[in-house]
Amino acid sequence: MDYVFDFASVFRNFGPLWEGLWVTIQLTVAANIVGLTLGFILALLVMSKWAVIRLPVMLFIEFFRCTPAIIQIVWFFYCVPMLFDVFLGSAAMGIMALGLNLAAFNAEAYRASIQAVPREQLDAGIALGLNPLQRIAYIVLPAAVRNSIPVLLTNGIGTFQQSALVAIVAVQDLMYQGKTLATQTYRPIETFTIVALIYFAVSFPVSQIVGYLERRREMQAS
């Protein structure tokens, strides 16, 4: 192979990659806020005893879990303005799609954690005179979040990685900036290698935290 690697040409133009990384982090944080909040609400609704509430929520969760994230992003970007006459920026559409996708996966994590809350704790809340909302706020929510933290962090990493898909709708995230820089410098191998390493450098420490929390929980359970 006669190809001569030249990473210096990428590092000399590293500014756009930093800007793209900042956009990616903002997208990830915003999507996680939506996913963590809405996911818990969906988990409560999908456990409702009323089918008229439970079935639509279940359909919503399965739709976002069983369709590709890239289709969801494209659908929101192109179809929402046409169907609902709502025009938002590409970044807002990306956050909406990523947030709803994450909410569907987080809902399942929350649901499993909620079902693991001992019945005795709920009975104690009733004995103390707590109403349903107070029992959710003071008993169910803390236990559900605590038990599902490893899964929620793993889902958060996945959203950080999936955020690269918003580049197809012209959101100037890390992937978009990397693609632009590769075109400008004619160095796709070097550029996308560095982009991949940036994604790895952010994701790997979080994955280690997830592993630590899971090992700690197993030790406490034993």
Side-chain angles (χ1 to χ4, degrees):
M1 184 177 69
D2 297 330
Y3 188 84
V4 178
F5 290 94
D6 181 17
F7 285 92
S9 62
V10 179
F11 286 114
R12 284 195 299 268
N13 300 277
F14 207 78
L17 295 183
W18 281 121
E19 295 173 3
L21 176 60
W22 175 238
V23 172
T24 294
I25 291 174
Q26 290 178 308
L27 289 172
T28 303
V29 171
N32 271 274
I33 291 174
V34 174
L36 290 171
T37 306
L38 181 59
F40 184 73
I41 296 173
L42 292 175
L44 294 177
L45 294 176
V46 81
M47 297 175 64
S48 173
K49 61 182 180 180
W50 293 297
V52 68
I53 296 176
R54 184 178 66 254
L55 294 180
V57 175
M58 187 180 302
L59 180 62
F60 174 91
I61 292 173
E62 292 305 320
F63 173 81
F64 278 93
R65 280 165 49 90
C66 299
T67 56
I70 190 170
I71 297 297
Q72 297 165 18
I73 292 171
V74 172
W75 192 92
F76 272 93
F77 185 78
Y78 290 105
C79 299
V80 168
M82 297 173 63
L83 294 176
F84 305 104
D85 199 29
V86 175
F87 297 90
L88 301 174
S90 56
M93 289 295 187
I95 291 171
M96 187 183 301
L98 291 172
L100 292 177
N101 178 278
L102 180 60
F105 284 91
N106 283 350
E108 288 300 295
Y110 280 128
R111 184 171 65 86
S113 297
I114 291 172
Q115 291 175 336
V117 176
R119 180 66 193 180
E120 292 78 7
Q121 295 184 14
L122 297 176
D123 292 339
I126 295 174
L128 291 173
L130 300 180
N131 60 46
L133 289 179
Q134 289 174 324
R135 292 198 296 272
I136 291 173
Y138 298 124
I139 299 176
V140 176
L141 178 58
V145 172
R146 183 172 59 252
N147 293 334
S148 59
I149 282 178
V151 179
L152 296 178
L153 287 175
T154 300
N155 292 345
I157 296 174
T159 299
F160 171 72
Q161 296 166 350
Q162 283 190 331
S163 67
L165 298 174
V166 301
I168 65 173
V169 292
V171 178
Q172 297 184 2
D173 70 326
L174 178 58
M175 184 63 186
Y176 180 92
Q177 296 288 9
K179 183 174 61 175
T180 302
L181 184 58
T183 302
Q184 293 174 346
T185 60
Y186 300 99
R187 292 290 173 179
I189 296 178
E190 293 89 336
T191 302
F192 289 119
T193 298
I194 291 174
V195 168
L197 290 174
I198 293 174
Y199 278 107
F200 175 80
V202 176
S203 300
F204 182 73
V206 180
S207 68
Q208 295 304 298
I209 294 173
V210 172
Y212 167 76
L213 292 175
E214 289 179 339
R215 290 192 297 271
R216 183 178 177 182
R217 187 174 62 176
E218 290 174 358
M219 291 176 59
Q220 291 175 344
S222 61

